[in-house]
Amino acid sequence: MERQNLAPIPAAEPQSLYSAAAVRQLDQLVINQQKIPGLALMKRAGRAAFDCLRSRWPEVNAIQVFCGGGNNGGDGYVIAGLAAQRQIPVTVFVGVPVEKLKGEALEAYGFAEREGATLVSTIDAMPAAGKNTVLVDALLGTGFSGALRSPVDAAVAHINGAGVPVLAVDLPSGLNADSGFAEQAVSADVTVTFIGRKAGLFLGCGPALTGDVVFDDLGAAAEIYPQVQGMLLRHTAETLARLPARTADSYKNQFGHVMIVGGDHGFGGAAMMAAEAAARTGSGLISLATRPEHVVASLTRRPEVMAHPVVSGQELEPLLEVPSVIAVGPGLGRSPWSEQLLARAGRAQAALVLDADALNILAGGRVLAGIKRDDWVLTPHIGEAARLLQISNAEVTADPLAAARAIQEKFSGVVILKGAGTVIAHRDGTDVINTGNPGMASGGMGDLLTGVIASLIGQGMTLPAAARLGVWLHGEAGNCAAADGQRGLLATDLLPHIRALVD
Ligand SMILES: NC(=O)C1=CN([C@@H]2O[C@H](COP(=O)(O)OP(=O)(O)OC[C@H]3O[C@@H](n4cnc5c(N)ncnc54)[C@H](O)[C@@H]3O)[C@@H](O)[C@H]2O)[C@H](O)CC1
Ligand SMILES: [K+]
C-alpha cells in the first residue's frame, strides 16, 4: 500500500525543552531585548516559587531555605525575604559565605537579611522541621556540574531526610539539567522552573526527582524563544485525528498490513503480543512470520492474525513483498535462524521497525553491516543502545539525548531510546515524551510498543509522528492500566486501553 505522504502532524501544544546553555541564552535575551534586569528576573523567580509554595501548602507555618552560592541561591534568598515580610518564620542555610556571593545573589541575600530571615551557616544550626514546615532547595540550578561538593552534599542529604515537603527551585539540586542524570539529588514534591523547561526534568532520573513541574516564563516574550537553537520539542500527544477514519465503506487494506517477524523457540508469546498490539491499534491486516511450533498457538489465540511458519530466510523472502510495514525483533532471539530472518527483512521494500534482538544482531555488525535506512524505526532500551554504540550503559544514561542522536547518525531513520523520559531522535530534531510509569518495566512492554508503532506507520503516519504518537499511546495505556496499582502490571493489561485511546 502506498504510504500516504501525510505531512508531519502538528503536535498538540508542543512544549519546548532546553539545555542549560540554551536557557542561559534565553535569560540573556530577556535581559538585553526586553530590558528586564537580572535582579528583576530573580525577584520574579523567587516570587513565582514563593506563590507556588503558599498555594500548595497554605497551612505552612515555617520555611527552611537551603541556598547555594549562585543565582539559584539568590532565588532562595528572595523566597526567604518574602516569607519574612509575611511573618512566616524562615531560616536560611547560607551554603556559601556571604563574602563569596556576588551580583544579584548578594543583593537578594541583603533583602532576606533586612526582612528578618534567620541566617545560619551550618546545617546542624537549622531547626527541626515541624509538621507544617516546608523546605526550599535553592542550592543548585543550571550551574551545577560534576559530583556534589561539600557542604551541598550534606545539605541534600539533610533535605531528603527531613520527612517534610520540599519545593525545588528551577531544578532539584544534583539533577543534570541536560541529561536527567543524577547520582545524589534532592527529591522534591514540586519543582518550579523558570523561562525554559530544562530537558533533564523529563529525562532519566528527572521524573522521579522533580515531583510536579510548575513552569513560569518570568515574563519572557514569545518572540524570544524562536531565537534560541537546540529546541527540544516535548510532545504530550500527536493529534489522533489524522489516523484514517473508519467509515462504513472502509476496507481492511486501508488500515495497512503489518508483518511481525520473530518468535524463536520458546519466545512465540512476544511475537504474538506485538501482533495483538498492532491489531488493537487499528491495523487491518496482520501477519506473523515465526517458528512453525508457534503457528497453531497463534491461530487459536488470534485467528485474525495470519501466521506463517518460516524455518529459514529463504522461506521468509516471498512473504516480504506483501506488508506495508515489517516489525522485526519480538522474541527473535540470536540464532542463525534469527540472523537469516533479519538479513532478509532488513532489505525489504516495506518500512521497518527493529526492536529487541534485531537491534542486538544489528549491533553485532555482521548482519546488515553498514546499512542505513530513512524508513526504519529503531527502538532500543538503554542496554541495546549501548551495544549499538559500543559504549557502556552508564554512558548512555549519562546523556540519553546524545546517545539517541548518535544512533540516529549511525543508522539513520528514527530512534526511540526508551527510558523514564523517552527520547525520539530523527532527521529534523529530537523529541522527548515523558509518560508511562515504573510498573511498565516488565516483560512484553517493548513488544507492545513495537506493534503499536508498526500499526501507526501502516495506517499512513510518517515515521516521526508514528514514533511520537506510539510512545505516547503506550505510556498513556500503561498509566490507565496502572490506575489501580503498578505492581503486577502485565503487558496484556494495556491492550484494552490502547484500543480505547485510539478509538
Ligand atoms: N533564566 C533562568 O532560568 C533564570 C535563572 N535564575 C536562577 O539562576 C540559576 C543559575 O544560576 P548560576 O549562578 O548560573 O548557577 P547555580 O546557582 O545553579 O550554581 C552555581 C553555584 O553552584 C556551585 N556548584 C556548581 N556545581 C557544584 C557541585 N557539583 N557541588 C557543589 N556546588 C556546585 C557553583 O560553585 C556556584 O556557587 C538558575 O538555576 C535559576 O535558579 C535566575 O534567578 C532567574 C532566571
Ligand atoms: K535547586
Side-chain angles (χ1 to χ4, degrees), residues 92-458:
V92 181
F93 167 62
V94 181
V96 164
V98 59
E99 50 276 8
K100 289 202 174 157
L101 295 179
K102 50 187 185 304
E104 297 99 40
L106 183 58
E107 300 212 29
Y109 174 94
F111 169 58
E113 191 179 38
R114 280 193 305 281
E115 294 304 328
T118 306
L119 306 172
V120 300
S121 55
T122 61
I123 290 286
D124 47 28
M126 295 299 279
K131 194 165 77 67
N132 288 325
T133 300
V134 174
L135 304 191
V136 173
D137 159 29
L139 292 161
L140 300 173
T142 53
F144 162 59
S145 64
L148 286 187
R149 299 193 297 272
S150 164
V152 173
D153 52 352
V156 167
H158 178 89
I159 291 170
N160 287 341
V164 294
V166 177
L167 179 145
V169 176
D170 208 27
L171 286 151
S173 296
L175 177 69
N176 180 300
D178 296 349
S179 65
F181 182 70
E183 268 162 334
Q184 187 199 358
V186 164
S187 180
D189 297 274
V190 62
T191 297
V192 186
T193 197
F194 314 115
I195 298 196
R197 290 173 182 81
K198 288 80 185 169
L201 295 168
F202 304 98
L203 286 171
C205 304
L209 293 171
T210 55
D212 296 334
V213 176
V214 171
F215 171 69
D216 192 303
D217 63 17
L218 302 189
E223 54 271 11
I224 293 284
Y225 291 93
Q227 298 177 52
V228 174
Q229 295 305 315
M231 271 174 72
L232 306 171
L233 292 181
R234 173 172 168 254
H235 290 261
T236 47
E238 292 287 348
T239 44
L240 287 165
R242 294 294 297 274
L243 282 176
R246 306 187 87 86
T247 53
D249 59 352
S250 295
Y251 54 96
K252 56 190 173 186
N253 264 336
Q254 180 186 352
F255 299 98
H257 178 165
V258 170
M259 171 179 274
I260 309 290
V261 177
D264 198 355
H265 296 310
F267 295 99
M272 278 182 251
M273 192 100 75
E276 186 148 4
R280 293 297 178 199
T281 308
S283 290
L285 291 169
I286 302 116
S287 51
L288 172 61
T290 185
R291 286 279 192 189
E293 74 257 30
H294 300 316
V295 168
V296 172
S298 170
L299 289 175
T300 39
R301 178 167 154 180
R302 274 281 156 261
E304 307 87 338
V305 174
M306 296 170 288
H308 302 279
V310 285
V311 290
S312 70
Q314 213 157 357
E315 278 200 340
L316 176 66
E317 194 67 38
L319 302 173
L320 296 174
E321 275 91 57
V322 179
S324 49
V325 54
I326 302 169
V328 192
L332 182 68
R334 298 196 211 179
S335 64
W337 174 82
S338 323
E339 293 190 352
Q340 283 180 40
L341 266 54
L342 177 61
R344 303 278 181 152
R347 298 192 186 285
Q349 283 304 310
L352 295 175
V353 180
L354 297 195
D355 183 33
D357 276 327
L359 297 172
N360 292 324
I361 295 171
L362 187 67
R366 282 183 305 106
V367 176
L368 302 177
I371 193 169
K372 294 175 100 161
R373 288 183 58 151
D374 288 335
D375 63 347
W376 63 5
V377 178
L378 310 182
T379 63
H381 57 48
I382 300 278
E384 289 150 356
R387 281 188 282 281
L388 286 167
L389 293 173
Q390 285 149 9
I391 60 177
S392 69
N393 287 17
E395 285 170 290
V396 173
T397 313
D399 195 343
L401 290 173
R405 285 198 197 111
I407 297 171
Q408 202 281 331
E409 252 131 62
K410 184 172 179 182
F411 295 97
S412 195
V414 174
V415 177
I416 297 175
L417 176 51
K418 298 179 282 194
T422 292
V423 179
I424 301 174
H426 47 92
R427 196 182 38 212
D428 304 328
T430 312
D431 302 276
V432 171
I433 311 278
N434 73 305
T435 181
N437 62 72
M440 295 174 67
S442 68
M445 292 290 179
D447 304 321
L448 283 188
L449 178 63
T450 297
V452 168
I453 292 171
S455 175
L456 295 173
I457 296 170

